[in-house]
Amino acid sequence: MNESRDPHSTHPQNPSQLSPQPPQPPQPPQRSNQPGEPVSTYQLPGGLQHCSKLQPVLDAPTALERVRQIVRILHEPGGCPWDGEQTNRSLIKPLLEETYEYIDAVETDDRDNMREELGDMLLQSIFQAQICSEDSADPFTLDEVCDRLVDKLITRHPNVFQDDTANSNENQALQEAIDADTTLQLWERMKQQEKQRTSVLDGIAQAQGALPRSAKVAARIRKSAQPQRFDEAFHLNTENETEQLADELLDLVRRADASGIDIECALRNRLRQVEQAVRTIEQDSSEQ
């Protein structure tokens, strides 16, 4: 009978020649996979293989579910005191900060930082969902959020998804001669129908900064059915220098939108160049 051998072992295989080995600690139970289910290769950080609190993390069938489990453990009693005190409102600032940090990583082509910051953004979404699921008045789960998102992505892409029993000519007409800009306009029209919006400005977040908000207003008006009708709204009476400067900024935003330029992105990138130039000047001054 052939004995099983460890291909990485350099020790003799005769048991009488083996040196006494210290007893090995028991290994944590492995999650049993269903037929056809990929075997998880996730390993807990060193020194925590026998932490019973982390067993739900080990048992999770997917990487996303592992994140959900660790967030739940941290937020529930017996977890992290800080995490346990957080609310949807208290997490708004971290959500914004993590979003901007990811944007910075993308715009500077920092792939390694993108991996981390995208994870931090995912954490914020799942943390928000965990708190929502515990609300006493109107609880909802991440599964409900995901299903609602899938429904939205399907219904807002009639050019991609059609009933196979529908008129083939209609299906073909939806798919033909549609580019990215037309698709975006179709998305906006479907959104307006679903939400029963009465104004082209409905749904623009009031909490965002003035620059991105003004860019959104300009884009909504440009993509409306009659953009010329709203042009007079930008020609208000100007009574002082403050309003004049604001009007000049709005004109720049509208020019950028008409040219397909993301004005906030352009300003961020230009400001990043200015900041680098300032640091270079500071370094040159310190070396003199």
Side-chain angles (χ1 to χ4, degrees):
M1 180 175 64
N2 293 331
E3 294 182 349
S4 174
R5 297 189 50 157
D6 179 358
H8 303 291
S9 174
T10 58
H11 293 289
Q13 295 302 306
N14 189 332
S16 64
Q17 296 176 339
L18 291 174
S19 302
Q21 297 295 318
Q24 297 297 316
Q27 296 300 312
Q30 298 294 319
R31 181 177 61 83
S32 60
N33 293 80
Q34 297 297 321
E37 181 184 351
V39 177
S40 173
T41 58
Y42 175 77
Q43 299 291 328
L44 289 171
L48 292 170
Q49 287 82 359
H50 307 290
C51 176
S52 59
K53 277 188 176 182
L54 290 171
Q55 192 60 46
V57 177
L58 282 174
D59 291 340
T62 65
L64 181 60
E65 185 61 26
R66 284 195 286 274
V67 179
R68 293 176 64 175
Q69 289 298 329
I70 195 67
V71 168
R72 177 188 62 78
I73 293 169
L74 290 171
H75 183 65
E76 288 182 347
C80 172
W82 184 87
D83 287 26
E85 293 180 355
Q86 300 314 300
T87 65
N88 294 121
R89 288 182 179 272
S90 71
L91 289 174
I92 289 177
K93 183 178 179 181
L95 175 62
L96 288 172
E97 290 174 347
E98 300 298 354
T99 301
Y100 281 120
E101 288 174 7
Y102 178 70
I103 291 172
D104 192 57
V106 171
E107 292 183 345
T108 57
D109 296 318
D110 189 342
R111 299 288 295 181
D112 188 59
N113 208 24
M114 284 172 62
R115 288 178 174 89
E116 180 174 354
E117 299 303 340
L118 190 56
D120 289 341
M121 288 177 60
L122 176 63
L123 166 62
Q124 292 302 318
S125 296
I126 292 182
F127 203 165
Q128 289 277 348
Q130 176 65 33
I131 295 173
C132 289
S133 71
E134 300 171 0
D135 187 86
S136 58
D138 183 21
F140 57 85
T141 66
L142 185 60
D143 287 340
E144 180 182 342
V145 172
C146 291
D147 287 343
R148 186 168 181 169
L149 173 60
V150 170
D151 285 349
K152 179 168 65 176
L153 292 174
I154 292 172
T155 57
R156 292 189 186 175
H157 287 91
N159 58 309
V160 179
F161 307 109
Q162 303 101 27
D163 190 327
D164 293 341
T165 62
N167 185 292
S168 59
N169 292 330
E170 294 178 359
N171 291 348
Q172 186 175 359
L174 275 170
Q175 295 179 17
E176 287 181 350
I178 186 167
D179 55 18
D181 287 339
T182 307
T183 301
L184 187 59
Q185 293 173 3
L186 179 60
W187 171 278
E188 291 293 341
R189 288 201 301 271
M190 297 301 296
K191 182 195 297 187
Q192 196 161 5
Q193 291 175 13
E194 288 176 14
K195 296 183 176 293
Q196 299 180 339
R197 290 174 173 170
T198 59
S199 170
V200 295
L201 303 181
D202 286 349
I204 297 179
Q206 302 291 303
Q208 61 184 318
L211 182 60
R213 183 177 162 195
S214 61
K216 190 72 173 178
V217 169
R220 284 284 189 88
I221 289 176
R222 176 178 54 82
K223 291 183 289 186
S224 65
Q226 296 177 300
Q228 299 81 5
R229 186 162 61 97
F230 300 107
D231 187 66
E232 62 183 82
F234 290 96
H235 301 288
L236 304 174
N237 293 332
T238 303
E239 299 180 356
N240 51 53
E241 183 181 9
T242 300
E243 292 179 346
Q244 182 180 354
L245 289 172
D247 287 341
E248 291 175 6
L249 286 173
L250 283 172
D251 286 340
L252 286 173
V253 169
R254 296 180 70 197
R255 283 171 50 194
D257 178 70
S259 300
I261 297 172
D262 184 336
I263 188 63
E264 189 182 18
C265 177
L267 184 57
R268 278 198 310 269
N269 289 331
R270 195 59 171 170
L271 183 57
R272 194 176 288 116
Q273 294 173 345
V274 170
E275 292 169 341
Q276 183 57 49
V278 169
R279 293 188 180 96
T280 301
I281 294 171
E282 290 173 335
Q283 184 177 0
D284 292 344
S285 299
S286 65
E287 293 175 353
Q288 292 178 357

